[in-house]
Amino acid sequence: MQSYSSFDRAATVLSLSCVAHCVALPIIAVSLPFFGSLAQAEWIHWTLTALAIAASGTVIVRAHGGRSPVFLVPVLFGITLISFAVFADSFGIDETPPTVIGGLLIAAAHIHRLIKHK
């Protein structure tokens, strides 16, 4: 059976990148204007979200244990939250809380899979 640990690692990194983008980049943007434009660029939000969903989706669909409730519930809830965050601005809602919570849920589920399958 093929190992999908690289997809778990990728999903973890991408999910935590979403968290870092929401939390750290605005702080850095204050001192470095170039990063300020990155903090607001919509294409970054879409790209990080799409890549995190693709990596998690690959594990869900193809990996052994990818559909277990212990993994599936937090990942699907996390995907829902980061997907909502992409549209949150258009509803006048701060995107940071759903992104941080969603990203941490996805990362935790993938880290749990990595530890469990070692």
Side-chain angles (χ1 to χ4, degrees), residues 18-88:
C18 291
V19 173
H21 173 79
C22 268
V23 176
L25 198 55
I27 295 167
I28 295 168
V30 172
S31 56
L32 299 169
F34 169 74
F35 289 107
S37 63
L38 288 179
Q40 299 303 317
E42 279 302 308
W43 68 268
I44 289 182
H45 298 132
W46 283 97
T47 302
L48 287 173
T49 300
L51 291 172
I53 290 170
S56 292
T58 300
V59 174
I60 291 169
V61 172
R62 312 238 11 214
H64 175 70
R67 291 184 213 119
S68 73
V70 172
F71 175 73
L72 196 58
V73 170
V75 166
L76 290 179
F77 190 53
I79 286 172
T80 301
L81 286 171
I82 64 169
S83 297
F84 169 75
V86 172
F87 300 102

